[in-house]
Amino acid sequence: MIREDANVRLREDPGHRLLGREVIHPATERTGTVGSVYIRTSKPTGNEVGRTAHMRPLDRSGREWTADPRELKPFRHLTPDAPAGAR
């Protein structure tokens, strides 16, 4: 869970381009749907110190996870080739 502390303010990014999209984390090959993206800001300076995306898994494992949203890529399902006679 992502928590605000004495030095970091936390707010949600409701307009992030990946919200609601299926993504893959190439380093781990995990796939999921982005449910939220949080922006961490330094309370003393007001500078952004990072972002965290929260995903729901596509593999039905129930294990939700987080990652840096800059590391995520949109996930595309591959469709099987159509049979030779089908059009």
Side-chain angles (χ1 to χ4, degrees):
M1 173 172 236
I2 305 165
R3 291 198 170 111
E4 190 168 304
D5 66 26
N7 293 313
V8 177
R9 178 169 285 117
L10 194 61
R11 68 182 171 86
E12 200 164 342
D13 182 356
H16 196 279
R17 66 181 182 83
L18 293 176
L19 273 179
R21 302 222 20 221
E22 292 180 354
V23 295
I24 186 166
H25 185 238
T28 62
E29 296 186 354
R30 292 197 70 186
T31 57
T33 303
V34 178
S36 57
V37 175
Y38 293 98
I39 302 168
R40 296 183 314 279
T41 306
S42 168
K43 287 180 181 177
T45 67
N47 294 332
E48 183 178 317
V49 294
R51 291 178 183 239
T52 304
H54 182 266
M55 273 72 59
R56 286 180 233 103
L58 292 178
D59 65 5
R60 299 179 189 254
S61 68
R63 285 177 268 158
E64 296 181 347
W65 51 290
T66 61
D68 184 327
R70 295 173 299 182
E71 297 174 358
L72 301 173
K73 305 291 180 215
F75 182 71
R76 297 185 184 179
H77 296 276
L78 298 177
T79 56
D81 291 334
R87 297 236 190 262

